[in-house]
Amino acid sequence: MATKDQNGTVLSRQEQKQELKPPPMYQVLLLNDDYTPMEFVVAIIQEYFNKDRETATQIMLKVHRDGKGMCGVYPKDIAGTKVELVLTHARKAGHPLQCVMEEA
Ligand code: TYC
């Protein structure tokens, strides 16, 4: 009997293996620059990554010190949407803030 998914579609060996694996996860990172105000970065982390003010401030200071910092880990489509939303918000406000995703 062929292995099928919930819809009754026959699955290849690769697809059978994939069904057992959790989806690949992506880290969303903020990068440091010399111009974006600290307060703006804290507000972004609170708004898009659901962090409280204290946690957001710690992440912002880590980015400021180390050059980059992790804001959260998400499935690919959610990580991509967060990167887009952050970049759109930053550009509208006239700041050069950079936000990227990396496979975790
Ligand atoms: N380095 C910036 C400043 O001194 C602050 C900053 C922090 C910018 C984090 C970007 O992702 C960033 N105003």
Side-chain angles (χ1 to χ4, degrees):
M1 238 285 265
T3 307
K4 297 178 182 175
D5 70 9
Q6 303 100 316
N7 306 318
T9 305
V10 177
L11 298 177
S12 68
R13 281 220 171 278
Q14 180 60 24
E15 286 166 334
Q16 289 174 35
K17 263 197 275 168
Q18 222 125 37
E19 286 223 330
L20 301 176
K21 278 198 229 152
M25 300 294 278
Y26 288 74
Q27 298 185 339
V28 178
L29 306 165
L30 285 176
L31 308 183
N32 190 36
D33 67 73
D34 291 339
Y35 304 103
T36 305
M38 290 184 173
E39 189 50 50
F40 182 84
V41 178
V42 171
I44 286 277
I45 296 169
Q46 286 187 257
E47 180 169 345
Y48 295 100
F49 302 99
N50 306 316
K51 305 298 188 201
D52 62 34
R53 198 175 165 74
E54 292 67 38
T55 305
T57 301
Q58 283 170 11
I59 294 171
M60 181 280 294
L61 286 173
K62 185 193 162 35
V63 178
H64 180 68
R65 256 189 266 114
D66 301 348
K68 65 180 175 177
M70 221 254 293
C71 296
V73 183
Y74 309 94
K76 192 175 194 175
D77 55 339
I78 295 176
T81 300
K82 286 185 185 287
V83 169
E84 263 182 40
L85 291 173
V86 167
L87 293 178
T88 300
H89 188 151
R91 292 307 164 270
K92 279 190 179 151
H95 300 310
L97 181 64
Q98 285 296 341
C99 184
V100 299
M101 60 195 269
E102 267 180 16
E103 191 164 357

